[in-house]
Amino acid sequence: VVLRRLSVFRGGAAPDGAEAVCALDGAAEDRAAGGRDAIIDVIASLADKSLVVVTGQQQVRYQLLETVRAYAAERLAEAGEQDRARAAHAGYFVALAERAEPRLRGPDQMHWLTRLTAEHDNVAAALRHAVATGDTGLGVRLVAALAWFWMLRDYEVEAVQWATEVHAMTGGTPPPGLADLHAICAFMAVMGNKDEAGVRSPAQIREALLQLVPATKGSNDPLVALAPAVLAAMAGDHQGTQSRLAELAGHPDPWTRAAQQMFAGHLAIHSGRIDEAEAKLAGALADFEAAGDRWGVIVSLAGLS
């Protein structure tokens, strides 16, 4: 039972993920085995039989050889558990990505970058499940939760591909209760609007900006709040960029205020306003250091240098 359910993982499984997905709450086999507490013991016995490969020490992962995974996947389909197992897998990884997302802007940034990188293949599998089943809510939640991770890791091509596909599924209409997350998905999709020469279309960006601003007005989400300024910059609207950044000076989220100062500081450098740039970037540096965000510290220091 556990072996066949492990087949839904890609790139291995961490212990908590294996427990969550392999248990499939309510299954008779789970009750007979003593519930989720028995999952790790079962996996250990499978490892003793060389059916599961255990790697890592501090960060343990369970892997299946491809031949074993293919066999287990066939047994999963025969048992009629494929859909349930894939849904449980996607549910676990959207929850993991949403837990990681705000922590990617704080002192645990490196830990969560490492964790999401290790689960890269699994979150891609969760996104494929969302697209295959037409689950727009799941797709939007995954894209929004992974957007900052993708940007930090410079996975722009992957980000645009998934965002474009999921945004097309929504038809431009946010799923109920997910307006902010849908706005992030739309923003990421716009980043892929390039012509054959690889240049983004200013006209398409301006159109996206007109649609995005009303949907993001007053949002407390950092990425949603920053998106209009970024799009205005991409469209070459320098005055619009500055005005949208100025609106964020009193934003309630300290990371967003730090990002606003950092962004404004780099714009001031390009406009030749060096004293203003230094003041903005110094303020951003102090705020990012207080937040424990290494990315923000690096970008601020680069401007100051």
Side-chain angles (χ1 to χ4, degrees), residues 248-263:
L248 297 176
H251 196 276
D253 175 60
W255 185 93
T256 303
R257 294 196 302 272
Q260 182 266 350
Q261 289 193 86
M262 182 265 294
F263 197 167

Side-chain angles (χ1 to χ4, degrees), residues 28-269:
E29 296 93 338
D30 297 334
R31 293 195 295 273
R36 288 177 56 165
D37 293 341
I39 298 297
I40 299 304
D41 291 338
V42 173
I43 293 175
S45 69
L46 292 171
D48 290 339
K49 299 179 178 68
S50 299
L51 292 172
V52 173
V53 178
V54 181
T55 61
Q57 293 180 347
Q58 293 181 336
Q59 301 291 331
V60 173
R61 291 188 72 78
Y62 306 125
Q63 307 263 4
L64 298 183
L65 296 176
E66 188 55 33
T67 51
V68 175
R69 198 195 68 77
Y71 168 80
E74 289 179 1
R75 302 289 81 77
L76 187 72
E78 289 175 358
E81 294 180 347
Q82 193 173 62
D83 291 343
R84 290 178 62 216
R86 288 178 177 172
H89 175 273
Y92 170 80
F93 281 103
V94 71
L96 178 70
E98 288 177 336
R99 180 154 50 101
E101 200 278 335
R103 293 169 173 83
L104 291 173
R105 293 184 290 274
D108 295 329
Q109 184 179 69
M110 297 305 297
H111 166 78
W112 286 102
L113 270 174
T114 302
R115 180 67 194 275
L116 289 180
T117 299
E119 304 295 2
H120 186 241
D121 292 342
N122 278 312
V123 295
L127 279 160
R128 283 194 294 273
H129 173 77
V131 171
T133 58
D135 191 334
T136 56
L138 175 63
V140 166
R141 288 173 62 198
L142 278 164
V143 168
L146 293 167
W148 189 237
F149 164 72
W150 283 327
M151 286 189 271
L152 286 174
R153 291 305 310 268
D154 199 22
Y155 291 164
E156 180 182 343
V157 173
E158 178 179 351
V160 166
Q161 175 188 342
W162 284 119
T164 300
E165 196 160 357
V166 170
H167 189 251
M169 285 170 53
T170 70
T173 302
L178 300 180
D180 273 9
L181 306 189
H182 183 263
I184 295 173
C185 187
F187 167 66
M188 299 299 290
V190 168
M191 292 178 65
N193 289 336
K194 298 180 181 179
D195 58 24
E196 295 180 355
V199 178
R200 292 186 177 92
S201 165
Q204 289 180 315
I205 293 171
R206 280 193 291 270
E207 181 181 349
L209 183 60
L210 290 173
Q211 296 175 354
L212 193 58
V213 170
T216 60
K217 194 74 172 178
S219 174
N220 287 331
D221 185 282
L223 297 190
V224 176
L226 287 166
V230 175
L231 285 174
M234 289 166 58
D237 181 1
H238 300 298
Q239 184 175 355
T241 303
Q242 291 178 354
S243 65
R244 297 191 190 288
L245 283 175
E247 294 171 359
L248 297 176
H251 196 276
D253 175 60
W255 185 93
T256 303
R257 294 196 302 272
Q260 182 266 350
Q261 289 193 86
M262 182 265 294
F263 197 167
H266 279 278
L267 284 179
I269 289 176

